[in-house]
Structure formats: C-alpha cells, structure tokens
Short mmCIF file of all heavy atoms in Angstrom, two decimals:
data_model
loop_
_atom_site.label_atom_id
_atom_site.label_comp_id
_atom_site.label_asym_id
_atom_site.label_seq_id
_atom_site.Cartn_x
_atom_site.Cartn_y
_atom_site.Cartn_z
N MET A 1 0.83 -1.16 0.00
CA MET A 1 0.03 0.02 0.01
C MET A 1 0.84 1.25 -0.01
O MET A 1 1.90 1.29 0.74
CB MET A 1 -0.90 -0.01 1.24
CG MET A 1 -1.86 1.12 1.23
SD MET A 1 -3.34 0.58 2.13
CE MET A 1 -3.37 1.69 3.43
N ARG A 2 0.51 2.21 -0.80
CA ARG A 2 1.29 3.41 -0.94
C ARG A 2 0.96 4.42 0.18
O ARG A 2 -0.19 4.68 0.49
CB ARG A 2 0.96 4.08 -2.29
CG ARG A 2 1.81 5.23 -2.62
CD ARG A 2 1.52 5.68 -4.02
NE ARG A 2 0.31 6.60 -3.98
CZ ARG A 2 0.30 7.81 -4.49
NH1 ARG A 2 1.38 8.30 -5.13
NH2 ARG A 2 -0.78 8.53 -4.39
N ASP A 3 1.96 5.04 0.74
CA ASP A 3 1.78 6.05 1.78
C ASP A 3 1.31 7.32 1.08
O ASP A 3 1.99 7.92 0.21
CB ASP A 3 3.12 6.31 2.46
CG ASP A 3 3.02 7.36 3.58
OD1 ASP A 3 1.87 7.68 3.94
OD2 ASP A 3 4.05 7.78 4.07
N ILE A 4 0.17 7.90 1.51
CA ILE A 4 -0.40 9.07 0.86
C ILE A 4 -0.12 10.36 1.68
O ILE A 4 -0.57 11.45 1.31
CB ILE A 4 -1.91 8.97 0.56
CG1 ILE A 4 -2.67 8.81 1.89
CG2 ILE A 4 -2.16 7.83 -0.38
CD1 ILE A 4 -4.13 8.83 1.73
N ASN A 5 0.59 10.23 2.73
CA ASN A 5 0.93 11.43 3.60
C ASN A 5 1.55 12.55 2.87
O ASN A 5 1.22 13.73 3.18
CB ASN A 5 1.73 11.03 4.84
CG ASN A 5 0.90 10.26 5.85
OD1 ASN A 5 -0.31 10.44 5.91
ND2 ASN A 5 1.55 9.34 6.52
N PRO A 6 2.48 12.39 1.92
CA PRO A 6 3.08 13.51 1.20
C PRO A 6 2.17 14.24 0.27
O PRO A 6 2.52 15.27 -0.28
CB PRO A 6 4.30 12.93 0.49
CG PRO A 6 4.21 11.48 0.66
CD PRO A 6 3.07 11.11 1.54
N LEU A 7 0.94 13.77 0.02
CA LEU A 7 0.05 14.42 -0.94
C LEU A 7 -0.55 15.69 -0.26
O LEU A 7 -0.81 15.74 0.93
CB LEU A 7 -1.11 13.53 -1.32
CG LEU A 7 -0.68 12.25 -2.13
CD1 LEU A 7 -1.92 11.43 -2.38
CD2 LEU A 7 -0.03 12.64 -3.44
N PRO A 8 -0.64 16.79 -1.04
CA PRO A 8 -1.18 18.02 -0.50
C PRO A 8 -2.73 17.85 -0.16
O PRO A 8 -3.38 17.04 -0.70
CB PRO A 8 -1.01 19.03 -1.61
CG PRO A 8 -0.96 18.24 -2.88
CD PRO A 8 -0.32 16.88 -2.46
N ASP A 9 -3.14 18.72 0.73
CA ASP A 9 -4.61 18.75 1.05
C ASP A 9 -5.39 19.25 -0.17
O ASP A 9 -4.90 20.01 -0.93
CB ASP A 9 -4.82 19.63 2.21
CG ASP A 9 -4.32 19.08 3.51
OD1 ASP A 9 -4.11 17.87 3.62
OD2 ASP A 9 -4.11 19.90 4.47
N LEU A 10 -6.57 18.76 -0.29
CA LEU A 10 -7.49 19.17 -1.32
C LEU A 10 -8.66 19.97 -0.70
O LEU A 10 -9.40 19.47 0.10
CB LEU A 10 -8.05 17.93 -2.03
CG LEU A 10 -9.05 18.18 -3.18
CD1 LEU A 10 -8.46 18.93 -4.28
CD2 LEU A 10 -9.70 16.84 -3.65
N GLY A 11 -8.76 21.26 -1.13
CA GLY A 11 -9.80 22.10 -0.55
C GLY A 11 -11.11 21.97 -1.36
O GLY A 11 -11.10 22.21 -2.58
N LEU A 12 -12.18 21.56 -0.73
CA LEU A 12 -13.44 21.34 -1.41
C LEU A 12 -14.47 22.43 -0.96
O LEU A 12 -14.47 22.87 0.19
CB LEU A 12 -14.08 20.02 -1.08
CG LEU A 12 -13.27 18.80 -1.40
CD1 LEU A 12 -13.97 17.53 -0.98
CD2 LEU A 12 -13.06 18.73 -2.93
N ALA A 13 -15.32 22.88 -1.85
CA ALA A 13 -16.47 23.67 -1.56
C ALA A 13 -17.62 23.08 -2.19
O ALA A 13 -17.72 22.76 -3.38
CB ALA A 13 -16.27 25.11 -2.11
N LEU A 14 -18.64 22.72 -1.38
CA LEU A 14 -19.90 22.12 -1.79
C LEU A 14 -20.96 23.12 -1.63
O LEU A 14 -21.18 23.66 -0.54
CB LEU A 14 -20.22 20.87 -0.92
CG LEU A 14 -19.16 19.85 -0.74
CD1 LEU A 14 -19.52 18.74 0.23
CD2 LEU A 14 -18.74 19.26 -2.11
N ILE A 15 -21.66 23.41 -2.75
CA ILE A 15 -22.61 24.50 -2.69
C ILE A 15 -24.06 23.83 -2.90
O ILE A 15 -24.33 23.23 -3.94
CB ILE A 15 -22.43 25.56 -3.82
CG1 ILE A 15 -21.08 26.22 -3.53
CG2 ILE A 15 -23.57 26.55 -3.88
CD1 ILE A 15 -20.67 27.23 -4.59
N GLN A 16 -24.88 23.99 -1.90
CA GLN A 16 -26.31 23.51 -1.93
C GLN A 16 -27.15 24.64 -1.63
O GLN A 16 -27.05 25.30 -0.59
CB GLN A 16 -26.47 22.35 -0.91
CG GLN A 16 -27.82 21.72 -0.96
CD GLN A 16 -28.10 20.95 -2.21
OE1 GLN A 16 -27.16 20.29 -2.75
NE2 GLN A 16 -29.31 20.88 -2.70
N THR A 17 -28.06 24.98 -2.51
CA THR A 17 -28.94 26.18 -2.33
C THR A 17 -30.21 26.02 -3.16
O THR A 17 -30.32 25.09 -3.94
CB THR A 17 -28.17 27.45 -2.79
OG1 THR A 17 -28.93 28.60 -2.45
CG2 THR A 17 -27.83 27.46 -4.28
N GLU A 18 -31.23 26.88 -2.87
CA GLU A 18 -32.39 26.82 -3.70
C GLU A 18 -32.08 27.39 -5.09
O GLU A 18 -31.19 28.22 -5.27
CB GLU A 18 -33.45 27.70 -3.07
CG GLU A 18 -33.91 27.08 -1.76
CD GLU A 18 -35.22 27.71 -1.22
OE1 GLU A 18 -35.93 28.31 -2.02
OE2 GLU A 18 -35.44 27.60 -0.02
N LEU A 19 -32.85 26.93 -6.09
CA LEU A 19 -32.65 27.30 -7.49
C LEU A 19 -33.87 28.04 -7.99
O LEU A 19 -34.97 27.78 -7.54
CB LEU A 19 -32.46 26.06 -8.33
CG LEU A 19 -31.29 25.15 -7.97
CD1 LEU A 19 -31.27 23.88 -8.76
CD2 LEU A 19 -29.97 25.88 -8.01
N ALA A 20 -33.63 28.99 -8.89
CA ALA A 20 -34.75 29.70 -9.58
C ALA A 20 -35.19 28.78 -10.73
O ALA A 20 -34.41 28.52 -11.66
CB ALA A 20 -34.27 31.02 -10.08
N TRP A 21 -36.43 28.32 -10.66
CA TRP A 21 -36.97 27.46 -11.64
C TRP A 21 -37.05 28.01 -13.04
O TRP A 21 -37.56 29.06 -13.23
CB TRP A 21 -38.39 27.00 -11.27
CG TRP A 21 -39.00 25.95 -12.16
CD1 TRP A 21 -39.92 26.12 -13.15
CD2 TRP A 21 -38.65 24.55 -12.14
NE1 TRP A 21 -40.19 24.94 -13.70
CE2 TRP A 21 -39.43 23.94 -13.17
CE3 TRP A 21 -37.81 23.76 -11.38
CZ2 TRP A 21 -39.38 22.59 -13.38
CZ3 TRP A 21 -37.76 22.41 -11.66
CH2 TRP A 21 -38.54 21.86 -12.68
N GLN A 22 -36.25 27.38 -13.99
CA GLN A 22 -36.25 27.74 -15.40
C GLN A 22 -35.75 29.19 -15.59
O GLN A 22 -36.27 29.87 -16.51
CB GLN A 22 -37.62 27.51 -16.07
CG GLN A 22 -38.00 26.06 -16.08
CD GLN A 22 -39.25 25.82 -17.00
OE1 GLN A 22 -39.83 26.74 -17.51
NE2 GLN A 22 -39.62 24.60 -17.04
N ASP A 23 -34.86 29.64 -14.78
CA ASP A 23 -34.36 31.06 -14.90
C ASP A 23 -32.79 31.02 -14.81
O ASP A 23 -32.22 31.35 -13.81
CB ASP A 23 -34.93 31.92 -13.82
CG ASP A 23 -34.67 33.36 -14.10
OD1 ASP A 23 -33.83 33.77 -14.93
OD2 ASP A 23 -35.32 34.17 -13.40
N PRO A 24 -32.15 30.58 -15.92
CA PRO A 24 -30.66 30.47 -15.89
C PRO A 24 -29.92 31.76 -15.51
O PRO A 24 -29.00 31.73 -14.79
CB PRO A 24 -30.35 30.03 -17.29
CG PRO A 24 -31.55 29.35 -17.82
CD PRO A 24 -32.68 30.08 -17.20
N ALA A 25 -30.44 32.88 -15.99
CA ALA A 25 -29.81 34.17 -15.68
C ALA A 25 -29.83 34.41 -14.15
O ALA A 25 -28.83 34.85 -13.60
CB ALA A 25 -30.44 35.33 -16.45
N ALA A 26 -30.95 34.27 -13.56
CA ALA A 26 -31.07 34.47 -12.09
C ALA A 26 -30.16 33.47 -11.32
O ALA A 26 -29.51 33.86 -10.35
CB ALA A 26 -32.52 34.30 -11.63
N ASN A 27 -30.10 32.19 -11.80
CA ASN A 27 -29.25 31.25 -11.16
C ASN A 27 -27.78 31.59 -11.28
O ASN A 27 -26.97 31.44 -10.34
CB ASN A 27 -29.55 29.79 -11.65
CG ASN A 27 -30.82 29.32 -11.12
OD1 ASN A 27 -31.11 29.40 -9.93
ND2 ASN A 27 -31.68 28.73 -12.01
N ARG A 28 -27.37 32.05 -12.49
CA ARG A 28 -25.98 32.43 -12.70
C ARG A 28 -25.62 33.56 -11.76
O ARG A 28 -24.53 33.54 -11.11
CB ARG A 28 -25.69 32.73 -14.14
CG ARG A 28 -25.59 31.56 -15.02
CD ARG A 28 -25.06 31.92 -16.40
NE ARG A 28 -25.91 32.83 -17.13
CZ ARG A 28 -26.93 32.52 -17.84
NH1 ARG A 28 -27.19 31.23 -18.07
NH2 ARG A 28 -27.65 33.43 -18.50
N THR A 29 -26.50 34.55 -11.63
CA THR A 29 -26.24 35.69 -10.69
C THR A 29 -26.11 35.21 -9.26
O THR A 29 -25.20 35.58 -8.55
CB THR A 29 -27.34 36.76 -10.85
OG1 THR A 29 -27.38 37.20 -12.17
CG2 THR A 29 -27.16 37.89 -9.88
N HIS A 30 -27.04 34.37 -8.84
CA HIS A 30 -27.03 33.83 -7.47
C HIS A 30 -25.77 33.05 -7.20
O HIS A 30 -25.12 33.24 -6.17
CB HIS A 30 -28.27 32.95 -7.28
CG HIS A 30 -28.37 32.29 -5.95
ND1 HIS A 30 -28.51 32.98 -4.73
CD2 HIS A 30 -28.30 30.99 -5.58
CE1 HIS A 30 -28.51 32.17 -3.75
NE2 HIS A 30 -28.39 30.92 -4.23
N PHE A 31 -25.38 32.16 -8.14
CA PHE A 31 -24.20 31.36 -7.94
C PHE A 31 -22.92 32.14 -8.02
O PHE A 31 -21.92 31.72 -7.45
CB PHE A 31 -24.18 30.17 -8.91
CG PHE A 31 -24.98 29.01 -8.37
CD1 PHE A 31 -26.38 28.88 -8.62
CD2 PHE A 31 -24.40 27.98 -7.64
CE1 PHE A 31 -27.03 27.85 -8.06
CE2 PHE A 31 -25.09 26.91 -7.13
CZ PHE A 31 -26.49 26.85 -7.37
N GLN A 32 -22.91 33.18 -8.76
CA GLN A 32 -21.67 34.01 -8.87
C GLN A 32 -21.31 34.51 -7.47
O GLN A 32 -20.11 34.46 -7.10
CB GLN A 32 -21.95 35.21 -9.79
CG GLN A 32 -20.66 36.01 -10.04
CD GLN A 32 -20.85 37.08 -11.07
OE1 GLN A 32 -21.96 37.21 -11.62
NE2 GLN A 32 -19.82 37.81 -11.33
N ALA A 33 -22.24 34.91 -6.65
CA ALA A 33 -21.99 35.37 -5.34
C ALA A 33 -21.48 34.21 -4.48
O ALA A 33 -20.55 34.36 -3.69
CB ALA A 33 -23.23 36.04 -4.71
N LEU A 34 -22.04 33.02 -4.64
CA LEU A 34 -21.65 31.92 -3.85
C LEU A 34 -20.24 31.42 -4.20
O LEU A 34 -19.48 30.99 -3.38
CB LEU A 34 -22.66 30.74 -4.00
CG LEU A 34 -24.07 31.05 -3.49
CD1 LEU A 34 -25.04 29.95 -3.85
CD2 LEU A 34 -24.04 31.25 -1.97
N LEU A 35 -19.96 31.49 -5.57
CA LEU A 35 -18.61 31.09 -6.03
C LEU A 35 -17.55 32.05 -5.53
O LEU A 35 -16.40 31.59 -5.27
CB LEU A 35 -18.63 31.04 -7.54
CG LEU A 35 -19.46 29.88 -8.17
CD1 LEU A 35 -19.58 30.05 -9.66
CD2 LEU A 35 -18.87 28.56 -7.79
N GLU A 36 -17.88 33.27 -5.32
CA GLU A 36 -16.91 34.24 -4.72
C GLU A 36 -16.50 33.80 -3.33
O GLU A 36 -15.36 33.91 -2.93
CB GLU A 36 -17.48 35.67 -4.71
CG GLU A 36 -17.52 36.30 -6.09
CD GLU A 36 -16.12 36.54 -6.71
OE1 GLU A 36 -15.17 36.82 -5.93
OE2 GLU A 36 -16.01 36.39 -7.91
N GLN A 37 -17.50 33.30 -2.59
CA GLN A 37 -17.24 32.81 -1.19
C GLN A 37 -16.40 31.58 -1.18
O GLN A 37 -15.66 31.30 -0.26
CB GLN A 37 -18.58 32.58 -0.51
CG GLN A 37 -19.39 33.80 -0.25
CD GLN A 37 -20.74 33.43 0.37
OE1 GLN A 37 -20.86 32.43 1.09
NE2 GLN A 37 -21.74 34.21 0.07
N ALA A 38 -16.44 30.85 -2.27
CA ALA A 38 -15.73 29.54 -2.37
C ALA A 38 -14.32 29.72 -3.02
O ALA A 38 -13.60 28.76 -3.21
CB ALA A 38 -16.50 28.52 -3.22
N ARG A 39 -13.99 30.97 -3.33
CA ARG A 39 -12.69 31.29 -3.94
C ARG A 39 -11.54 30.65 -3.18
O ARG A 39 -11.51 30.74 -1.99
CB ARG A 39 -12.52 32.79 -4.14
CG ARG A 39 -11.26 33.17 -4.89
CD ARG A 39 -11.17 34.61 -5.12
NE ARG A 39 -12.25 35.22 -5.88
CZ ARG A 39 -12.26 35.25 -7.23
NH1 ARG A 39 -11.32 34.71 -7.89
NH2 ARG A 39 -13.32 35.78 -7.86
N GLY A 40 -10.64 30.00 -3.84
CA GLY A 40 -9.52 29.43 -3.18
C GLY A 40 -9.67 27.87 -3.04
O GLY A 40 -8.71 27.20 -2.80
N ALA A 41 -10.87 27.40 -3.23
CA ALA A 41 -11.04 25.91 -3.22
C ALA A 41 -10.48 25.29 -4.41
O ALA A 41 -10.41 25.92 -5.49
CB ALA A 41 -12.57 25.62 -3.13
N ASP A 42 -9.95 24.04 -4.26
CA ASP A 42 -9.39 23.31 -5.43
C ASP A 42 -10.47 22.73 -6.22
O ASP A 42 -10.38 22.57 -7.50
CB ASP A 42 -8.53 22.24 -4.89
CG ASP A 42 -7.31 22.75 -4.16
OD1 ASP A 42 -6.60 23.59 -4.73
OD2 ASP A 42 -7.07 22.34 -3.00
N LEU A 43 -11.60 22.42 -5.63
CA LEU A 43 -12.76 21.83 -6.40
C LEU A 43 -14.04 22.40 -5.80
O LEU A 43 -14.22 22.40 -4.61
CB LEU A 43 -12.73 20.30 -6.17
CG LEU A 43 -13.92 19.53 -6.76
CD1 LEU A 43 -13.93 19.58 -8.36
CD2 LEU A 43 -13.84 18.05 -6.35
N ILE A 44 -14.93 22.88 -6.66
CA ILE A 44 -16.23 23.38 -6.31
C ILE A 44 -17.30 22.46 -6.90
O ILE A 44 -17.33 22.24 -8.14
CB ILE A 44 -16.42 24.80 -6.73
CG1 ILE A 44 -15.33 25.73 -6.16
CG2 ILE A 44 -17.79 25.32 -6.35
CD1 ILE A 44 -15.34 27.12 -6.68
N VAL A 45 -18.23 21.95 -6.10
CA VAL A 45 -19.23 21.04 -6.51
C VAL A 45 -20.58 21.76 -6.46
O VAL A 45 -20.97 22.30 -5.42
CB VAL A 45 -19.30 19.76 -5.67
CG1 VAL A 45 -20.39 18.80 -6.15
CG2 VAL A 45 -17.93 19.09 -5.65
N LEU A 46 -21.26 21.89 -7.64
CA LEU A 46 -22.59 22.52 -7.69
C LEU A 46 -23.63 21.47 -7.93
O LEU A 46 -23.41 20.34 -8.37
CB LEU A 46 -22.55 23.46 -8.89
CG LEU A 46 -21.48 24.56 -8.94
CD1 LEU A 46 -21.52 25.35 -10.24
CD2 LEU A 46 -21.65 25.49 -7.76
N PRO A 47 -24.92 21.81 -7.60
CA PRO A 47 -25.97 20.92 -7.88
C PRO A 47 -26.11 20.60 -9.38
O PRO A 47 -25.87 21.44 -10.24
CB PRO A 47 -27.26 21.65 -7.39
CG PRO A 47 -26.73 22.72 -6.49
CD PRO A 47 -25.41 23.01 -7.00
N GLU A 48 -26.54 19.38 -9.67
CA GLU A 48 -26.83 19.03 -11.06
C GLU A 48 -27.86 19.98 -11.65
O GLU A 48 -28.81 20.24 -10.93
CB GLU A 48 -27.29 17.57 -11.09
CG GLU A 48 -27.63 17.05 -12.46
CD GLU A 48 -28.21 15.69 -12.43
OE1 GLU A 48 -28.56 15.17 -11.35
OE2 GLU A 48 -28.32 15.06 -13.48
N MET A 49 -27.75 20.41 -12.81
CA MET A 49 -28.66 21.25 -13.53
C MET A 49 -28.92 22.55 -12.70
O MET A 49 -30.02 23.11 -12.71
CB MET A 49 -29.98 20.53 -13.78
CG MET A 49 -29.84 19.34 -14.69
SD MET A 49 -31.33 18.39 -14.91
CE MET A 49 -32.31 19.50 -15.92
N PHE A 50 -27.86 23.12 -12.09
CA PHE A 50 -28.03 24.26 -11.24
C PHE A 50 -28.51 25.49 -11.99
O PHE A 50 -29.15 26.35 -11.40
CB PHE A 50 -26.71 24.60 -10.53
CG PHE A 50 -25.68 25.34 -11.41
CD1 PHE A 50 -25.63 26.70 -11.43
CD2 PHE A 50 -24.87 24.59 -12.25
CE1 PHE A 50 -24.78 27.34 -12.25
CE2 PHE A 50 -23.93 25.21 -13.05
CZ PHE A 50 -23.88 26.64 -13.09
N SER A 51 -28.23 25.60 -13.31
CA SER A 51 -28.64 26.79 -13.97
C SER A 51 -30.17 26.83 -14.42
O SER A 51 -30.73 27.84 -14.60
CB SER A 51 -27.82 27.01 -15.22
OG SER A 51 -28.01 25.97 -16.17
N THR A 52 -30.76 25.63 -14.44
CA THR A 52 -32.16 25.59 -14.93
C THR A 52 -33.14 25.15 -13.89
O THR A 52 -34.37 25.23 -14.13
CB THR A 52 -32.28 24.62 -16.13
OG1 THR A 52 -31.97 23.28 -15.67
CG2 THR A 52 -31.42 25.05 -17.31
N GLY A 53 -32.70 24.75 -12.75
CA GLY A 53 -33.68 24.32 -11.71
C GLY A 53 -34.33 22.96 -12.05
O GLY A 53 -35.49 22.82 -11.74
N PHE A 54 -33.61 22.03 -12.68
CA PHE A 54 -34.12 20.71 -12.96
C PHE A 54 -35.31 20.73 -13.92
O PHE A 54 -36.14 19.83 -13.88
CB PHE A 54 -34.41 19.91 -11.70
CG PHE A 54 -33.24 19.64 -10.83
CD1 PHE A 54 -32.88 20.51 -9.85
CD2 PHE A 54 -32.45 18.54 -11.09
CE1 PHE A 54 -31.79 20.28 -9.04
CE2 PHE A 54 -31.38 18.27 -10.32
CZ PHE A 54 -31.03 19.13 -9.30
N SER A 55 -35.33 21.66 -14.83
CA SER A 55 -36.40 21.77 -15.83
C SER A 55 -36.28 20.61 -16.78
O SER A 55 -35.14 20.26 -17.18
CB SER A 55 -36.38 23.10 -16.48
OG SER A 55 -37.31 23.07 -17.56
N MET A 56 -37.34 20.14 -17.27
CA MET A 56 -37.36 19.09 -18.32
C MET A 56 -37.57 19.75 -19.69
O MET A 56 -37.64 19.04 -20.69
CB MET A 56 -38.43 18.08 -18.08
CG MET A 56 -38.20 17.25 -16.83
SD MET A 56 -36.68 16.25 -16.91
CE MET A 56 -35.63 17.05 -15.68
N ASP A 57 -37.67 21.07 -19.77
CA ASP A 57 -37.89 21.75 -20.99
C ASP A 57 -36.48 22.09 -21.65
O ASP A 57 -36.16 23.27 -21.82
CB ASP A 57 -38.70 23.02 -20.77
CG ASP A 57 -39.19 23.67 -22.09
OD1 ASP A 57 -38.99 23.05 -23.17
OD2 ASP A 57 -39.82 24.69 -22.03
N SER A 58 -35.76 21.07 -21.96
CA SER A 58 -34.38 21.28 -22.45
C SER A 58 -34.28 22.01 -23.74
O SER A 58 -33.38 22.77 -23.93
CB SER A 58 -33.69 19.90 -22.58
OG SER A 58 -34.43 19.04 -23.44
N ALA A 59 -35.29 21.83 -24.62
CA ALA A 59 -35.23 22.61 -25.91
C ALA A 59 -35.27 24.08 -25.67
O ALA A 59 -34.59 24.89 -26.40
CB ALA A 59 -36.39 22.17 -26.80
N ALA A 60 -36.06 24.57 -24.73
CA ALA A 60 -36.21 26.00 -24.45
C ALA A 60 -35.01 26.56 -23.69
O ALA A 60 -34.71 27.75 -23.85
CB ALA A 60 -37.52 26.28 -23.71
N LEU A 61 -34.34 25.73 -22.85
CA LEU A 61 -33.30 26.21 -22.00
C LEU A 61 -31.87 25.81 -22.47
O LEU A 61 -30.90 26.23 -21.87
CB LEU A 61 -33.52 25.70 -20.62
CG LEU A 61 -34.83 26.16 -19.95
CD1 LEU A 61 -35.09 25.40 -18.71
CD2 LEU A 61 -34.72 27.71 -19.67
N ALA A 62 -31.78 25.13 -23.59
CA ALA A 62 -30.45 24.65 -24.08
C ALA A 62 -29.59 25.88 -24.48
O ALA A 62 -30.10 26.90 -24.96
CB ALA A 62 -30.64 23.76 -25.24
N GLU A 63 -28.32 25.78 -24.15
CA GLU A 63 -27.38 26.83 -24.55
C GLU A 63 -26.44 26.30 -25.55
O GLU A 63 -26.15 25.12 -25.66
CB GLU A 63 -26.55 27.21 -23.28
CG GLU A 63 -27.37 27.92 -22.17
CD GLU A 63 -26.43 28.30 -21.04
OE1 GLU A 63 -25.20 28.36 -21.17
OE2 GLU A 63 -26.95 28.55 -19.94
N PRO A 64 -25.87 27.20 -26.33
CA PRO A 64 -24.82 26.75 -27.27
C PRO A 64 -23.58 26.29 -26.50
O PRO A 64 -23.44 26.56 -25.32
CB PRO A 64 -24.51 27.99 -28.13
CG PRO A 64 -24.90 29.15 -27.24
CD PRO A 64 -26.06 28.65 -26.35
N GLU A 65 -22.69 25.55 -27.22
CA GLU A 65 -21.51 24.99 -26.58
C GLU A 65 -20.76 25.99 -25.77
O GLU A 65 -20.20 25.70 -24.74
CB GLU A 65 -20.67 24.34 -27.66
CG GLU A 65 -19.44 23.64 -27.07
CD GLU A 65 -18.67 22.87 -28.14
OE1 GLU A 65 -19.23 22.50 -29.17
OE2 GLU A 65 -17.44 22.77 -27.95
N ASN A 66 -20.61 27.23 -26.32
CA ASN A 66 -19.84 28.27 -25.61
C ASN A 66 -20.74 29.27 -24.99
O ASN A 66 -20.47 30.46 -24.87
CB ASN A 66 -18.88 28.95 -26.60
CG ASN A 66 -17.77 28.02 -27.03
OD1 ASN A 66 -17.28 27.22 -26.38
ND2 ASN A 66 -17.49 28.14 -28.40
N GLY A 67 -21.92 28.83 -24.50
CA GLY A 67 -22.92 29.65 -23.84
C GLY A 67 -22.44 30.24 -22.50
O GLY A 67 -21.37 29.95 -21.98
N PRO A 68 -23.33 31.02 -21.88
CA PRO A 68 -22.92 31.77 -20.70
C PRO A 68 -22.65 30.81 -19.50
O PRO A 68 -21.94 31.21 -18.56
CB PRO A 68 -24.08 32.67 -20.42
CG PRO A 68 -25.23 32.14 -21.18
CD PRO A 68 -24.66 31.35 -22.33
N THR A 69 -23.35 29.72 -19.42
CA THR A 69 -23.10 28.80 -18.26
C THR A 69 -21.96 27.90 -18.55
O THR A 69 -21.16 27.61 -17.71
CB THR A 69 -24.36 28.00 -17.99
OG1 THR A 69 -25.40 28.86 -17.77
CG2 THR A 69 -24.20 27.15 -16.77
#
C-alpha cells in the first residue's frame, strides 16, 4: 500500500442552495456570489442542472456549446 501522507490537502467547496426554476440568468447571478465565497477551493461542486432548476424543457433552455453557463 502506498503512503499518501506527502500528498497536499484538497480544498473542497460544496454548494447546496435553492434554485430559480427555469431562470438560468437568475441562477448564474445567485451562484456568482456563492462562487466568490468559495474562492480558493481546489474543487467546487454545484448541484446538477443548477442553472435551470431541474427543468425538463431542455429545448427551451439549451445553451450553445460556448454559452454563458
């Protein structure tokens, strides 16, 4: 078994919050403030589908590959 003591610590930020249903712009604004608080973390974990609020209307909410989210 390999000794893992020399490995550096990994800083995690887990963000769990309420989402604005089908409102990506509002969610991006909300998460921008939360991401500022998590600055310095090595890994930030966001809720799945955080920008759309778990909407199933993917055709209306889809973004281009280089979209804002």
Side-chain angles (χ1 to χ4, degrees):
M1 184 151 117
R2 188 175 83 124
D3 180 12
I4 62 170
N5 288 331
L7 295 177
D9 290 339
L10 178 65
L12 299 177
L14 308 175
I15 298 178
Q16 183 69 34
T17 186
E18 292 193 23
L19 304 173
W21 185 257
Q22 295 188 0
D23 192 346
N27 285 316
R28 284 191 299 272
T29 299
H30 177 66
F31 274 87
Q32 185 173 1
L34 296 173
L35 290 170
E36 287 296 324
Q37 294 176 29
R39 187 175 297 275
D42 297 305
L43 176 66
I44 300 171
V45 180
L46 303 175
E48 178 183 14
M49 298 177 70
F50 78 93
S51 66
T52 62
F54 295 91
S55 173
M56 294 297 113
D57 192 4
S58 58
L61 297 169
E63 293 182 17
E65 184 175 333
N66 293 322
T69 304

